[in-house]
Amino acid sequence: MTGFRNFLFRGNLVDLAVAVIIGTAFGAVVTTFTSWLTAQMPDSTSEYFSNVENSFGAFLNAVVSFVILAAVVYFLVVTPYVKAKERFFPSPPPGTPEDIELLRQIRDSLVGGTHKA
């Protein structure tokens, strides 16, 4: 079970799953927006406005669905995942990177006159 937990929290599995879900929902938004923009001109004007209204309604429906889906994914998947990841694999304490610390030691030794020429 520990190996499975490590697989879930150390890899980008959840990030990839969220990207696929959000990408699919956004694809529906783009498709309906394109349909709305490219509404075909029928024989009568009243049919044209009916088609445009239906296309615009489908676009608004896709946008609302996208926002709801994004909120559900964020609050039910991303937030618990981040909390669980921080619980099982805490972030290292902030500090200076090793190369910066090494450069500081070299600087201090040069300033202190402990180097040999």
Side-chain angles (χ1 to χ4, degrees):
M1 206 58 186
T2 303
F4 182 67
R5 184 184 69 200
N6 291 342
F7 169 70
L8 286 178
F9 290 123
R10 293 207 181 198
N12 294 332
L13 183 66
V14 174
D15 296 335
L16 182 61
V18 168
V20 168
I21 292 168
I22 296 297
T24 303
F26 191 71
V29 172
V30 171
T31 301
T32 56
F33 180 73
T34 305
S35 296
W36 175 52
L37 283 181
T38 61
Q40 297 295 323
M41 182 71 129
D43 294 336
S44 70
T45 307
S46 63
E47 288 180 26
Y48 173 72
F49 285 115
S50 175
N51 284 345
V52 169
E53 288 173 359
N54 288 339
S55 297
F56 185 70
F59 169 65
L60 284 180
N61 186 26
V63 168
V64 170
S65 297
F66 173 76
V67 170
I68 291 171
L69 180 72
V72 167
V73 167
Y74 177 75
F75 289 113
L76 296 182
V77 176
V78 173
T79 302
Y81 170 72
V82 169
K83 288 180 182 178
K85 187 175 181 180
E86 195 59 38
R87 178 177 168 214
F88 291 114
F89 302 101
S91 300
T96 58
E98 293 179 19
D99 54 345
I100 300 294
E101 187 61 36
L102 181 61
L103 289 171
R104 286 184 181 160
Q105 290 174 1
I106 293 170
R107 178 198 64 198
D108 293 343
S109 69
L110 290 173
V111 170
T114 59
H115 69 284
K116 296 180 181 178

